[in-house]
């Protein structure tokens, strides 16, 4: 999962077509580049997808925090049981085998991340790939094979998953990862995205504080977007399946750490006030994220989302926001103004009408912007 601002349908930016196609013939990595023309980009992506299908392959590097996770990595490699959709060939490596494989200084630093991890469950087993179709596909298709809490990270992602089957592309500089969670109570599964959103925003604050950096106020736009100074810098996707009396939840996160195009990134806010060597690193943010998420998740499981609501409402953009809800009344569309109060127990928006009646707001499923397609239900 990666942020909405890199969707293939409606990007802005400039790309040299000759350089783009030339590079594509030598490396499909350039699928992550942008074009100002939607038709042009879609046609290029289709060409790139055919090139990938011709010799589809993927390298996955496995590593762990302790001997328990490293033993799991060795087992997965020896049994060669990790799979990807579309018959993609998978080559598996252990961390000790990649010294000659990784030559890019911008690649995700496995050791730096592992040294930053202090959790008991989440993030201790890592799958990394320099170039991957979708981190979400890796964890969701191999959920039963990998330890619960495993995370998959990539440097470049060309077929990330988004809401309503949207497909995203993301270049270097973005922190893109997916991880696994098991839950038993299906009633609270929809709320996990809010726990994840809060953990991301608090992780960024935590890393800034530890490094003595200026405060970065990343905000949550309901239900699953992350904003900085009015611009989108991240997004979250949660999917689930049910088996063996448990919900298998795959969580995908995309956060633009170090790429200013096409909107902005976290380090763009910091670069004028600190040296480049002290800017935010993806590995540090991910390590801090799992520390925050594990703490929040335990609270959530024991005490419910109420235990996190106060902090969540300080972080989101919507307290007191007035929105228009359109309803059909016979052949006419009637507009009603309501004021957002918070979240309902099921995770939808709680709002009050001008008639002082409380309503639960649902997206209609047809609008790309949740706030332009709300349906209200009286409580």
């Amino acid at each position: 999962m990666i942020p909405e601002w890199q969707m293939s349908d409606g990007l802005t930016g400039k790309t040299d077509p000759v350089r783009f196609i030339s590079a594509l013939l030598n490396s499909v990595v350039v699928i992550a580049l942008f074009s100002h023309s939607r038709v042009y980009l879609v046609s290029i992506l289709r060409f790139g997808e055919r090139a990938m299908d011709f010799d589809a392959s993927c390298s996955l590097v496995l590593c762990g925090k302790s001997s328990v996770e490293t033993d799991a990595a060795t087992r997965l490699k020896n049994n060669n049981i990790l799979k990807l959709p579309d018959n993609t060939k998978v080559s598996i490596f252990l961390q000790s085998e990649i010294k000659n494989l990784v030559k890019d200084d911008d690649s995700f630093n496995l050791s730096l991340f592992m040294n930053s991890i202090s959790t008991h469950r989440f993030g201790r087993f890592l799958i990394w790939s320099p170039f991957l179709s979708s981190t979400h596909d890796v964890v969701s298709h191999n959920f039963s094979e990998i330890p619960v809490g495993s995370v998959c990270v990539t440097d470049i992602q060309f077929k990330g998953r988004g809401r309503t089957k949207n497909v995203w592309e993301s270049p270097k500089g973005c922190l893109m990862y997916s991880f696994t969670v098991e839950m038993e109570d299906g009633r609270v599964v929809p709320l996990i995205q809010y726990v994840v959103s809060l953990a991301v925003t608090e992780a960024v604050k935590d890393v800034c504080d530890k490094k003595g950096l200026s405060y970065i106020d990343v905000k949550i736009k309901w239900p699953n977007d992350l904003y900085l100074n009015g611009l989108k810098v991240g997004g979250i996707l949660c999917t689930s399946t049910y088996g063996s009396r448990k919900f298998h939840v795959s969580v995908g996160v995309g956060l633009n750490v170090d790429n200013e195009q096409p909107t902005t990134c976290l380090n763009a806010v910091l670069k004028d006030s600190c040296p480049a060597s002290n800017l935010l690193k993806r590995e540090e943010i991910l390590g801090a994220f799992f520390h925050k998420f594990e703490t929040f998740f335990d609270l959530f499981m024991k005490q419910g989302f109420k235990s996190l609501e106060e902090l969540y409402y300080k972080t989101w953009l919507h307290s007191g926001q007035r929105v228009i809800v359109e309803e059909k009344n016979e052949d006419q569309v009637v507009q009603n103004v309501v004021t957002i109060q918070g979240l309902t127990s099921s995770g939808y928006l709680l709002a009050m009408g001008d008639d002082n009646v409380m309503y639960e707001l649902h997206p209609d499923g047809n609008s790309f912007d949740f706030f332009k397609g709300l349906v209200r239900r009286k409580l």
Side-chain angles (χ1 to χ4, degrees), residues 67-353:
S67 59
V68 174
E69 291 85 26
T70 54
D71 287 347
T74 302
R75 175 182 58 83
L76 289 169
K77 173 180 168 58
N78 292 340
N79 294 335
N80 195 31
I81 55 179
L82 295 183
K83 306 296 181 185
L84 284 174
D86 303 326
N87 297 316
T88 301
K89 179 182 177 181
V90 178
S91 299
I92 300 176
F93 301 88
L94 301 179
Q95 184 180 5
S96 58
E97 300 173 329
I98 64 169
K99 291 182 179 179
N100 296 325
L101 179 67
V102 181
K103 297 181 180 180
D104 192 337
D105 292 338
D106 294 330
S107 294
F108 190 84
N109 189 321
L110 308 183
S111 298
L112 178 59
F113 168 70
M114 281 299 167
N115 290 336
S116 72
I117 280 288
S118 59
T119 56
H120 298 291
R121 287 167 293 162
F122 294 102
R124 295 176 62 88
F125 184 87
L126 173 71
I127 304 170
W128 170 74
S129 178
F131 179 70
L132 190 61
S133 58
S134 166
T135 58
H136 212 82
D137 283 346
V138 173
V139 300
S140 61
H141 279 75
N142 298 283
F143 197 104
S144 299
E145 307 296 341
I146 58 180
V148 175
S150 296
V151 58
C152 178
V153 182
T154 187
D155 294 332
I156 295 174
Q157 183 171 248
F158 64 89
K159 199 186 289 185
R161 295 177 60 184
R163 184 170 58 87
T164 63
K165 296 183 180 181
N166 291 323
V167 177
W168 315 92
E169 288 73 48
S170 183
K172 284 192 174 183
C174 299
L175 172 58
M176 297 160 287
Y177 62 99
S178 297
F179 66 100
T180 61
V181 182
E182 271 190 349
M183 302 175 69
E184 295 183 359
D185 187 352
R187 293 171 297 179
V188 300
V189 169
L191 299 174
I192 192 67
Q193 62 185 327
Y194 308 140
V195 181
V196 175
S197 301
L198 189 57
V200 174
T201 61
E202 292 300 302
V204 172
K205 296 175 186 176
D206 186 60
V207 175
C208 286
D209 184 59
K210 288 180 178 178
K211 301 185 73 153
L213 299 174
S214 302
Y215 179 74
I216 295 182
D217 192 18
V218 179
K219 292 292 189 180
I220 298 168
K221 179 182 178 184
W222 183 86
N224 54 9
D225 289 335
L226 302 169
Y227 273 68
L228 177 62
N229 298 334
L231 298 172
K232 182 168 179 176
V233 293
I236 293 155
L237 172 71
C238 298
T239 62
S240 67
T241 58
Y242 186 75
S244 302
R245 298 184 177 181
K246 291 183 178 180
F247 288 90
H248 298 166
V249 183
S250 299
V251 180
V253 180
L255 182 66
N256 197 348
V257 177
D258 204 28
N259 190 317
E260 295 188 45
Q261 299 298 326
T263 56
T264 190
C265 64
L266 302 186
N267 279 334
V269 179
L270 298 170
K271 67 179 183 178
D272 292 333
S273 60
C274 72
S277 60
N278 202 38
L279 291 174
L280 298 176
K281 294 180 173 61
R282 292 177 297 156
E283 300 86 350
E284 297 169 333
I285 295 175
L286 187 58
F289 165 80
F290 280 119
H291 175 71
K292 293 292 184 182
F293 177 77
E294 188 164 278
T295 301
F296 291 163
F297 183 74
D298 288 342
L299 274 173
F300 176 54
M301 288 292 94
K302 293 174 183 177
Q303 302 176 29
F305 192 71
K306 284 286 185 183
S307 60
L308 300 172
E309 272 189 351
E310 182 179 355
L311 182 58
Y312 183 84
Y313 292 148
K314 288 180 180 179
T315 310
W316 81 336
L317 293 168
H318 309 298
S319 294
Q321 179 181 348
R322 290 174 66 80
V323 296
I324 297 174
V325 179
E326 294 186 345
E327 296 176 330
K328 283 188 175 181
N329 185 2
E330 296 181 352
D331 294 333
Q332 294 183 331
V333 176
V334 179
Q335 292 187 336
N336 296 286
V337 179
V338 297
T339 303
I340 296 175
Q341 306 294 314
L343 294 173
T344 66
S345 59
S346 56
Y348 291 109
L349 291 174
L350 177 66
M352 179 183 291

